[in-house]
Amino acid sequence: MPARSLSLRNLVKHYGALQRAVDDVSLDVAPGEFITFLGPSGSGKTTTLMMIAGFQEPSGGSINVDGRAIGHVPPYERNIGVVFQNYALFPHMSVANNVAFPLKMRGEAKKERQVKSLEALARVGLGGFGDRYPGELSGGQQQRVALARALVFQPDLILLDEPLGALDKNLREHMQIELKRIHREVGVTMIYVTHDQTEAMTMSDRIAVFNSGKIEQVGTPLEVYFRPRTRFAASFVGDSNLIDAEFAKDDRTVRVPGFGEFTVNPGHSKRGDRVNLLIRPEMIRLRPGKSQNPSTNACDVTVESIVNYGDNLLVIGRAGERSLRIRVPSLDGKSLREGMPCVAEWDQDSIHVMAER
Amino acid sequence: MTMSRKPRIKTGPILLGLPAGLFLLAFFLVPLGYVTVLSFSDPSWGIANYRELFNSRLFLMTLGNTFWMAAVVTGLSLLLAYPLAYVAATSKGTLGKTILMIVALSFWTSYLVRTYAWMVILGVQGPIPALVALFGHSPPPRLLFTSFAATLGMTHGLIPFMTMALFAVMKRIDPKLMDAAGSLGARPWRVFWHIYLPLSAPGIINGITLVFITCLGFYVMPVLLGSPREQTIAGLIGDRMEQILDFGGAAAMSLVLLAASLGLFSVYSRYFGMDRLWGGRI
Ligand SMILES: Nc1ncnc2c1ncn2[C@@H]1O[C@H](COP(=O)(O)OP(=O)(O)O)[C@@H](O)[C@H]1O
Ligand SMILES: [Mg+2]
C-alpha cells in the first residue's frame, strides 16, 4: 500500500464564540508513520481527527495529504479509513458485506469485492466470519471487522479514535500487538488517538501530547518520557516527581526549598531562572540509614507508605513538607518498613530540567 | 426484542394484571362473542348473513374501496411523515423538539374537532375552494363530501402515528454509522439508500401496519368528510344498524373487517423477526 504524508498547519476549531476545541495545531506525519494523539479527555484529539476525516469543518488552518489540500474535500472523496471507538459497523449487513461496502461504493465488480474482503478479513484474523452479522461478534471481533473495513480500500491514512477503549485489559494488549503487526505488514500511515499513556508508549513511532486543544510536544516515546518539554507532558506520561526550583549560583546548581541544593547537567539556564525538575520515580535509589556526608543529589526521607505492585514497590518518602515517589524493585525493597529513615539518591543525569511555564 | 424464549410467568404479575384482564373480559371479549353469535343467529341461525355479504356487489366494492383508501392514506402519511420524523430524530437544536411538540399537539386534538376543521376549510364557503376559484376554476369545485376530503382528513389524522412509529426507530440509529459510511466513500444519497433507509425499515413497517389497520376501521372522518357513494366499511356498518336495523348483517360485516385486520397483523408479526435477523442490534 502506498504510504502518504499528512501535514496540519495552524488548525483551529471553535464551537461557539469563545471556546477553542482545537487551538492552532501544526503537525507533520511521515509516510507510513504510526503517530499517537495522547491527551486527557476533552483535549481536542477527537476534534482534530474528525477534521482530518472531514466530518468537521476546520475554523482555520489547512490539512494536506501528500501536499494536496483536503480541508474542503467532502469525506466521501478523501480516501481516509476511520475506525471508531464503538466500531460503527452496519448492523443490517453481514461481516463480508460490511467489509465490501467501501469497494461497492467505488464501483468495483462483485468478484473483486469478494476476493478483497476475504483477504482483508484474513489479515485481521477473521477468515471464515464473513457470513456472521456484527451483532453476533464479540467486541474484539467487531473491532477487527472495523479495521478490515478501513484497510480494504487502500486508504491514504487510517484514523483510529480510541479503538480499544471498550475492551478489557487482556484483549486490549492482544489487540495492540495485532494492530502493530498489521501496521508493519500494510505500511499505511496511521493516526491513533488514546488517553492511555501506556498504549501510546508501547505502540507509537511518535506521540503528540495534547492539552487544552494544543499540542504540547511531539516526539518519540522515549523523548516524551525522558525529555518532556512541559510540566504537563511530564506529569501525563508516566509517573513523576515534579519539583519547582530556582538556579541559585551558576548554571548547574538549583535550590529546592525543603530539599537543599541539587546539581544538574549544565544547560541554557542562568542564575535566577525558575524551573521545573523532573525525576522519574524509578531513577531514585533508596537505602535504609542516614546520609553520612551530605551530597547534593541525595536527601534523607522517612518511608511514609509502601504500595506493592508485585514486580515493584511504590514508596512514598517524606522529607519535611515534601514527598518523593520512589519505585523500587520488589526484591530490593523487602526490608523496607513504614516509618523507616532512608536515604534517597539519584544521578545527576536523571534530573531533567524544564523551563517553567 | 427477541421473542424466542417465553418468560416464566409468576403469580405476582398475574394478580396485577387481574383488573385489566377482567375489564377486557367484560367489555371486550363478551361483547365480541355476542357480536359473533349475532352474526350467525340474527335473524335466523346459519351463515346466511355471510353468504349475503359475499354476494353483495355493494359490500365487496365498499370493502375494496376501504382497502384502497387505507392504502392511499398509508402511502401518503409515510411520504409526509418520513422527512418530518427524520428531521426530528437527527436535528440537534430545538427544531426536533418543536416538531415533536406539534405532532403531540395534533395527537391531543380530538378527531371530531379536526374533522369539523376540515369541513370548514373544504366547504363551499371555505378558503380552499375560494382559492381554486381565484385561479379561474368556476364554479368552485366540490371538495367536501368526496373521497378526496376523506383521504385528506385521514392522512392528517394519522400522520402523527406514522411520525411517532418512525421517530422511535430513527432515534435509535447511531449517527456515527452515517459518518462511517461517508468515510468509506458513500455519497449522501447512497448513505441514505444503503444505511439509513434499511435501518429505519422496522419503523416503516410498524407505521404502515398501525396506520393501515387504523384506517380500515376509521368511522368519523370517512362518514363526515367522505362521499356517500363511495363509503367505507365502517360507514356501511353504521348504516346497516341505524337505517335498516339489520344487526346480524352489521355483525357479519364487523367480523369480516376484524378478520382482515387480524390477517394483516399476522403478516406484521412475521416481519417482527426482522431485528432478530440483524443479531438484535440496531
Ligand atoms: N459538537 C461539539 N459541540 C460543542 N463542543 C464540543 C463538540 N465536540 C467537542 N466539543 C468540545 O471540544 C473539546 C474537545 O473535545 P474532543 O475533541 O472530543 O476531546 P478529546 O477527544 O480529546 O476527548 C471539549 O471541550 C468538548 O467539550
Ligand atoms: Mg475523544
Side-chain angles (χ1 to χ4, degrees), chain A residues 45-46 161-162 193:
Chain A
K45 309 180 297 289
T46 297
D161 192 2
E162 313 222 8
V193 164

Side-chain angles (χ1 to χ4, degrees), chain A residues 76-77 84 89 91-92 106, chain B residues 176-177 182 184 187 194 281:
Chain A
Y76 51 87
E77 284 174 359
F84 295 88
L89 298 177
H92 60 301
R106 285 164 174 74
Chain B
K176 278 264 175 293
L177 294 177
L184 295 168
R187 287 163 182 278
H194 289 287
R281 286 191 189 205

Side-chain angles (χ1 to χ4, degrees), chain A residues 55 75-77 80 82 84 88-93 101-102 104-106 135 142 149 153, chain B residues 176-177 179-188 190 194-195 198-199 277-279 281-282:
Chain A
F55 305 144
Y76 51 87
E77 284 174 359
I80 292 176
V82 185
F84 295 88
L89 298 177
F90 307 130
H92 60 301
M93 292 184 196
F101 184 80
K104 189 172 175 176
M105 293 304 110
R106 285 164 174 74
Q142 292 189 43
R149 191 177 65 177
F153 61 98
Chain B
K176 278 264 175 293
L177 294 177
D179 275 353
S183 77
L184 295 168
R187 287 163 182 278
R190 298 187 93 179
H194 289 287
I195 312 297
L199 288 178
L277 194 70
W278 300 340
R281 286 191 189 205
I282 293 186

Side-chain angles (χ1 to χ4, degrees), chain A residues 48-59:
Chain A
T48 307
L49 212 64
M50 293 302 118
M51 286 192 283
I52 301 172
F55 305 144
Q56 298 272 9
E57 186 94 4
S59 314

Side-chain angles (χ1 to χ4, degrees), chain A residues 116-129:
Chain A
K116 285 187 183 173
S117 54
L118 281 181
E119 190 185 61
L121 280 171
R123 183 175 300 289
V124 298
L126 281 184
F129 280 74

